[in-house]
Amino acid sequence: KDGRVVLSKISRLKINDFPGTLAATLGEQIDISDFTDGNVFKHGFVIDWLRRAFEEEYKLSDYSYDSIVDESTFRILSLNFEGDIYNFALLCTVKLRLKFDEFNRKVGLLLSTEEAIELIPLKIMDIPKTLFLEKIDSSSFHPSTHLRLMIFFFYKMGYKKGGALIMKEAKCFNKDK
């Protein structure tokens, strides 16, 4: 709601998903049961998957989810293949009904030691600079974070403007080296 992307710091206990790294924003495997019961294709499966992701990662009940997540803004941006784990991943975006600080106050209390343990805001206009960073406050990025941020930035800004802003940052980054 306030022009920020939520980064999630992955618990050190989540050993199957680069523990301690910063992810943009949450990741949830799509299971075959999300889109079929074995006989019938579930046409609304992506929304069911989105609800499950928020429930599992942030422990949101249906009531909390409905008051926080604006499903009408949900968009699938790309389909990626994660070669290290042989997984197809949907890259999606959805707006929250709350500003980051409100979201963090409500969800921060619900975070578990098995999933995300901390939420960090990232201004959309700071994405180009972030694409050239290896860490934020000593936390490395999840291997998918830079790709997710770049695709989202192109979605928000358009390819021409987004590309120009990223290239401008690249020139600054290369000067500093």
Side-chain angles (χ1 to χ4, degrees), residues 47-107:
I47 295 298
D48 293 343
W49 165 77
L50 180 68
R51 282 181 172 274
R52 185 170 62 79
F54 271 89
E55 179 186 329
E56 290 182 15
E57 297 282 329
Y58 298 144
K59 309 300 181 229
L60 293 186
S61 66
D62 284 343
Y63 172 77
S64 295
Y65 173 89
D66 290 334
S67 68
I68 292 173
V69 179
D70 182 358
E71 284 182 355
S72 71
T73 66
F74 177 78
R75 303 289 181 271
I76 297 173
L77 304 181
S78 71
L79 174 66
N80 305 326
F81 181 71
E82 300 171 320
D84 60 324
I85 59 172
Y86 299 102
N87 179 59
F88 286 98
L90 290 175
L91 174 57
C92 307
T93 183
V94 68
K95 288 183 183 177
L96 303 178
R97 299 180 194 279
L98 306 175
K99 292 181 178 181
F100 174 81
D101 292 335
E102 297 170 90
F103 177 69
N104 194 32
R105 265 194 308 279
K106 287 186 179 220
V107 174

Side-chain angles (χ1 to χ4, degrees), residues 36-47:
T36 181
D37 64 3
N39 296 312
V40 178
F41 177 77
K42 299 176 185 175
H43 292 283
F45 85 90
V46 290
I47 295 298

Side-chain angles (χ1 to χ4, degrees), residues 106-149:
K106 287 186 179 220
V107 174
L109 300 171
L110 303 174
L111 297 178
S112 71
T113 56
E114 297 95 39
E115 300 286 347
I117 57 168
E118 181 182 357
L119 303 178
I120 299 163
L122 176 65
K123 292 178 184 170
I124 292 171
M125 293 310 292
D126 287 344
I127 289 175
K129 176 176 56 179
T130 304
L131 294 175
F132 296 95
L133 298 177
E134 292 180 28
K135 296 180 177 188
I136 292 180
D137 297 333
S138 79
S139 294
S140 299
F141 292 99
H142 185 278
S144 67
T145 296
H146 287 98
L147 176 64
R148 290 176 180 185
L149 288 174

